[in-house]
Amino acid sequence: IMERLEIAKDHSHIHFAQILGMSDNITFGLGLARYNVAKLVLFGDLENIIPWFLRRLDENNDPLSAMQEERKLIWDEMVRRVKHV
């Protein structure tokens, strides 16, 4: 969409952000493609973080399958690197 609208990948008003540890493969790919990306690092007391984090998980359509897919991608990359050593 950005390309079609002729918006630069590194436009200062456009950023993609995700919680650290969730769909890191997407963030990594966007960063490699030169988009502005950020990772949110949670900190604070668990009693404050957990309700917020649970709301974010609820907003995600399918967090478990996303995590399973990410694990598979990590595993595949590890195997690829070991084979090329």
Side-chain angles (χ1 to χ4, degrees):
I1 293 174
M2 290 175 62
E3 187 176 315
R4 190 176 73 226
L5 295 173
E6 298 181 1
I7 299 172
K9 291 179 178 183
D10 62 350
H11 191 287
S12 63
H13 294 163
I14 309 277
H15 290 79
F16 297 90
Q18 295 173 307
I19 299 169
L20 182 64
M22 297 185 71
S23 299
D24 291 333
N25 57 308
I26 295 172
T27 311
F28 184 68
L30 287 168
L32 285 176
R34 303 292 214 188
Y35 288 93
N36 296 321
V37 297
K39 280 297 197 177
L40 175 64
V41 178
L42 303 179
F43 67 95
D45 298 326
L46 280 179
E47 62 189 40
N48 294 323
I49 292 173
I50 296 298
W52 180 89
F53 188 64
L54 291 175
R55 287 193 300 274
R56 300 296 82 76
L57 285 176
D58 190 45
E59 292 169 357
N60 190 333
N61 291 336
D62 195 2
L64 293 179
S65 68
M67 285 186 276
Q68 288 172 347
E69 175 64 22
E70 189 162 353
R71 263 193 230 117
K72 181 186 179 314
L73 290 170
I74 291 169
W75 178 258
D76 291 348
E77 179 61 16
M78 287 173 39
V79 169
R80 185 191 70 77
R81 290 181 185 197
V82 168
K83 285 182 177 179
H84 289 88
V85 170

